[in-house]
Amino acid sequence: MKHLLSLESLSTREMEYLIDSAGALTQGRAHLEPHELAGQVWALIFNKSCTRTRVSFEVGIRELGGSPMFLSGHDMQLGRGEPVRDTARVLSSMVDGAIIRTYAQSDVEEFAHFGNLPTINALTDEEHPCQILADLQTIEERLGSWRGTRVVFLGDADCNVARSWMWAAARLDFDLVLSGPEAYLPPAGLREQIAEAGGRVTYETDARSAAEGADVLYTDVWVSMGKEEEGAERVEALRNHQINAALVARAKPGALVMHCLPAYREKEITEEVLENHAETIFTQAENRLHAQKAILLQLARAWQ
Ligand code: CP
Ligand code: NVA
């Protein structure tokens, strides 16, 4: 594994290895870490807002002995039209790795292609691979294993987080249910690709049927970054796919409620459910740090 550009591009073995390594890294923080990034500088190029991903990567890089360099895409020449491929070649001569949050998946792919350094997708419009690795680690911690579970994603079931869940299901042994109004379910072509890859994914327009027997109820914001103009329309369209107490009652007893955060209370999740499941949700956020370190270590070793 030379880059982490998507979950689509990972094999079953690579995914399992990263989830297991992230779990092992929860056992020790800075004082126990191998300083495998010593002397390295990793650039974080971000074109969208960010809290968890930026902080977890910056802290993770430091704990592994390296230095993070945060670069806001808007302040870079990239923001004035310098091509991604030129930026990639320049940075390759100066830094040891790049972590990119942006809109087009093709930009992250182009950067990896033209750069000569490990490149990580820190969220694009198409995928959020780092998030789902931490989520699977959290399920493993809380339920013993993600194997054989029924994970139900509710809301904008065609967003980046939902799509990364689909690719995880294509590689790993669990059942995924995507629940949303028809217009917010993934397109037929992608569904076929996932089915051909062996993913056990089903699609539901009725949230109550979807939640039945769930081991995990999962949601994400209804208005992803870049979709702000559709805000009111989305809130209206998605309101029957909110995680609330009535929906939780349909899941298995002891089911996890998860949210990648940031959360909008009384939109995709009620205040009551979020607070009742805060321990899981904030552990899920903390696990971003452990998962990022697992990814960084794996890439640093591959480029040694
Ligand atoms: N879940 C997540 O990626 O959060 P941030 O946008 O704050 O990084
Ligand atoms: N789907 C959300 C995820 C935020 C972490 C977005 O893209 O804004």
Side-chain angles (χ1 to χ4, degrees):
M1 183 181 122
K2 296 291 245 187
H3 306 286
L4 176 59
L5 304 180
S6 60
L7 289 192
E8 178 180 1
S9 60
L10 291 193
S11 66
T12 300
R13 225 174 117 203
E14 286 167 333
M15 260 187 227
E16 289 181 347
Y17 181 79
L18 288 171
I19 299 162
D20 289 348
S21 312
L25 285 162
T26 60
Q27 301 307 313
R29 289 287 298 273
H31 59 293
L32 292 175
E33 300 303 341
H35 281 186
E36 292 190 38
L37 266 53
Q40 296 194 6
V41 177
W42 283 62
L44 287 88
I45 304 170
F46 281 46
N47 285 326
K48 287 178 174 173
S49 303
C50 193
T51 298
R52 282 142 287 269
T53 309
R54 175 179 173 180
V55 174
S56 55
F57 268 116
E58 290 208 21
V59 172
I61 290 165
R62 285 179 209 277
E63 289 193 2
L64 295 174
S67 308
M69 175 187 282
F70 183 79
L71 300 162
S72 160
H74 304 292
D75 298 336
M76 296 176 75
Q77 296 290 4
L78 260 179
R80 299 181 64 245
E82 182 168 21
V84 169
R85 60 191 63 191
D86 294 354
T87 309
R89 284 178 283 192
V90 171
L91 289 196
S92 290
S93 67
M94 301 185 197
V95 303
D96 301 282
I99 299 159
I100 304 174
R101 171 169 285 203
T102 193
Y103 295 87
Q105 176 72 20
S106 57
D107 282 349
V108 180
E109 312 258 351
E110 182 179 333
F111 191 100
H113 182 75
F114 284 92
N116 182 29
L117 77 181
T119 305
I120 299 174
N121 173 358
L123 181 148
T124 62
D125 290 345
E126 265 178 54
E127 276 222 35
H128 195 3
C130 301
Q131 177 69 54
I132 277 58
L133 293 172
D135 297 341
L136 286 160
Q137 178 208 336
T138 309
I139 296 173
E140 180 101 13
E141 249 176 55
R142 300 261 143 172
L143 298 182
S145 179
W146 38 263
R147 288 184 175 81
T149 56
R150 175 178 164 91
V151 177
V152 180
F153 180 104
L154 298 121
D156 177 6
D158 190 27
C159 74
N160 40 17
V161 170
R163 284 183 177 221
S164 285
W165 267 112
M166 291 174 84
W167 285 109
R171 306 279 181 256
L172 303 176
D173 172 25
F174 68 91
D175 291 283
L176 177 66
V177 182
L178 294 180
S179 172
E182 194 62 51
Y184 294 85
L185 291 176
L190 177 58
R191 295 191 205 184
E192 278 160 28
Q193 266 183 287
I194 298 290
E196 276 163 23
R200 301 196 303 270
V201 184
T202 51
Y203 305 90
E204 278 283 354
T205 51
D206 179 42
R208 287 170 308 175
S209 322
E212 213 67 60
D215 294 290
V216 178
L217 293 176
Y218 190 109
T219 193
D220 180 12
V221 296
W222 286 346
V223 186
S224 283
M225 292 178 277
K227 303 280 186 197
E228 290 77 6
E229 279 180 12
E230 300 171 16
E233 184 189 322
R234 285 172 164 263
V235 169
E236 179 56 27
L238 292 164
R239 64 192 163 90
N240 291 334
H241 294 268
Q242 178 190 66
I243 301 189
N244 51 37
L247 210 71
V248 175
R250 291 180 168 260
K252 280 191 189 155
L256 301 182
V257 173
M258 298 179 71
H259 194 312
C260 59
L261 301 177
Y264 290 82
R265 287 156 168 85
E266 309 312 325
K267 297 285 194 305
E268 72 274 5
I269 190 164
T270 59
E271 167 90 20
E272 180 195 11
V273 172
L274 188 140
E275 293 303 338
N276 283 343
H277 294 267
E279 206 204 325
T280 304
I281 292 169
F282 291 100
T283 299
Q284 183 187 353
E286 179 196 322
N287 282 341
R288 297 293 307 278
L289 171 64
H290 309 301
Q292 317 299 34
K293 281 159 71 180
I295 296 163
L296 290 163
L297 283 170
Q298 183 66 4
L299 291 178
R301 287 169 190 162
W303 284 78
Q304 254 170 13

